Amino acid sequence: MPRPFVAYLRVYEPLSSFGGSLGDLLRAVIEDGAVEHAQAGVREREVWFRSQLANATLPGELPDGRPSPSSVRDVLVIDPAEVHCEDATVGPGPLVCPMDVRARSAAALMGFLETSTPMLRAAMLSDSPERLRARAATILGDQPNGSVHIVSTTWTVPLPWFSLVDPAHRHIVVAPRDDPRRQVFWRVAMGDARRRIERAATLAEQTFGDAGPTRVLIDTAAWLENFDDASAVELDYGGLVQLFSDEELLEDTSADDVNGILDAIEASDAGEVAERFTKLRDFWAGMAIRERFN
């Protein structure tokens, strides 16, 4: 079975920033062995399947609503040496990213309740929207810093996310499509990511107004403010790497193009902006078609 076609933006905080019982739990998890980076999407799918079999309301919890002991222990870990730093530092290590499957599911439920029609809610929900909304809000409120450590998207990577990273520091492993070692990701220091996205949001607002890409940049910048200053940020193509050929992965210039667009906006070079937008549109068009057919 292929990995889920999901891309991720993750925050890894220093283990030292987690106190109390959560810090003790994370230390024990690291000693026992964290989730392998390449298996993160598969693990999330497994948690979802288990919730369906157990008749739980949300993935990552028991039928009675308590967090599942196993999902609480789902954590990704990296070393500060694996993070690209420009004007900021990270650590001390290890750097820890709780997968927060239950809390992320609660956030998705809140989004569904806010955007779905009454008819769709009636067909999909087994409890009242009010009770579900209150329960989801409680779960999110229990997060140590009030926010989940991972945001994800299916079938594509939001282009504004590329403004967070230095294109030259892409980590790419070309392996067979069904091999979990096949990966594309960037890891950057939190301070550098915040500086980059602040610049991008300012330029985008001057050019596009406060909608579209500007809103994504502003919301992402606000999300990053929830975490320790010495954290790392990871942009990961996740399971999307299965949908590209080796040649497409190697020739992918999305990060270069997004950062080039920002430079061109700053230089008032409309031709360069248009040329790079065209490249991005052409590269990601195939993903849009796949999503439509699925």
Side-chain angles (χ1 to χ4, degrees):
M1 182 183 294
R3 285 178 280 165
F5 301 130
V6 180
Y8 302 92
L9 198 60
R10 301 186 180 101
V11 172
Y12 294 78
E13 294 190 274
L15 178 59
S16 57
S17 68
F18 295 91
S21 59
L22 178 57
D24 294 338
L25 173 62
L26 292 175
R27 289 180 182 87
V29 169
I30 292 172
E31 290 181 4
D32 293 341
V35 176
E36 292 184 17
H37 182 268
Q39 294 293 333
V42 174
R43 175 57 183 162
E44 290 178 356
R45 180 173 59 202
E46 179 184 333
V47 171
W48 184 86
F49 281 148
R50 287 184 177 180
S51 72
Q52 300 305 298
L53 293 173
N55 198 30
T57 300
L58 294 173
E61 69 179 18
L62 302 171
D64 62 7
R66 290 179 297 137
S68 166
S70 60
S71 67
V72 171
R73 301 176 66 85
D74 288 339
V75 175
L76 301 170
V77 179
I78 61 174
D79 187 277
E82 302 173 50
V83 181
H84 172 62
C85 301
E86 297 173 359
D87 298 324
T89 58
V90 297
L95 302 176
V96 179
C97 177
M99 292 174 65
D100 296 332
V101 174
R102 180 170 178 254
R104 288 162 57 201
S105 300
L109 176 59
M110 291 281 278
F112 175 78
L113 292 171
E114 293 297 325
T115 59
S116 59
T117 64
M119 183 178 297
L120 182 58
R121 289 196 294 269
M124 297 296 296
L125 302 177
S126 58
D127 202 349
S128 72
E130 293 73 22
R131 281 195 292 268
L132 289 172
R133 185 178 288 107
R135 189 155 166 269
T138 298
I139 292 171
L140 291 171
D142 288 340
Q143 288 293 106
N145 50 20
S147 184
V148 296
H149 287 77
I150 303 174
V151 292
S152 59
T153 61
T154 55
W155 295 105
T156 191
V157 176
L159 296 180
W161 286 4
F162 287 108
S163 67
L164 291 162
V165 303
D166 182 339
H169 289 271
R170 177 177 64 165
H171 177 89
I172 180 169
V173 177
V174 177
R177 293 199 191 202
D178 59 352
D179 189 329
R181 292 175 299 173
R182 187 180 181 89
Q183 297 179 79
V184 171
F185 61 80
W186 292 259
R187 291 171 180 161
V188 299
M190 174 64 79
D192 295 331
R194 287 174 175 163
R195 173 178 50 79
R196 284 174 164 275
I197 202 168
E198 181 179 358
R199 173 194 178 231
T202 299
L203 291 172
E205 187 170 18
Q206 293 171 356
T207 307
F208 308 112
D210 59 2
T214 306
R215 177 48 52 191
V216 175
L217 291 164
I218 291 173
D219 290 346
T220 304
W223 173 64
L224 294 178
E225 290 298 327
N226 290 298
F227 304 103
D228 191 286
D229 293 344
S231 301
V233 181
E234 176 184 75
L235 170 55
D236 180 11
Y237 275 27
L240 299 189
V241 294
Q242 301 163 109
L243 301 175
F244 294 110
S245 68
D246 292 353
E247 183 179 10
E248 287 171 326
L249 284 182
L250 291 169
E251 295 182 355
D252 173 23
T253 59
S254 296
D256 294 274
D257 291 328
V258 169
N259 283 273
I261 285 170
L262 295 173
D263 292 341
I265 290 174
E266 208 163 40
S268 300
D269 188 342
E272 180 74 4
V273 170
E275 181 179 342
R276 289 188 178 269
F277 263 126
T278 299
K279 285 182 65 178
L280 288 165
R281 182 196 62 203
D282 292 345
F283 183 80
W284 291 99
M287 288 297 198
I289 293 172
R290 287 176 185 269
E291 181 179 14
R292 192 174 305 121
F293 286 157
N294 282 273

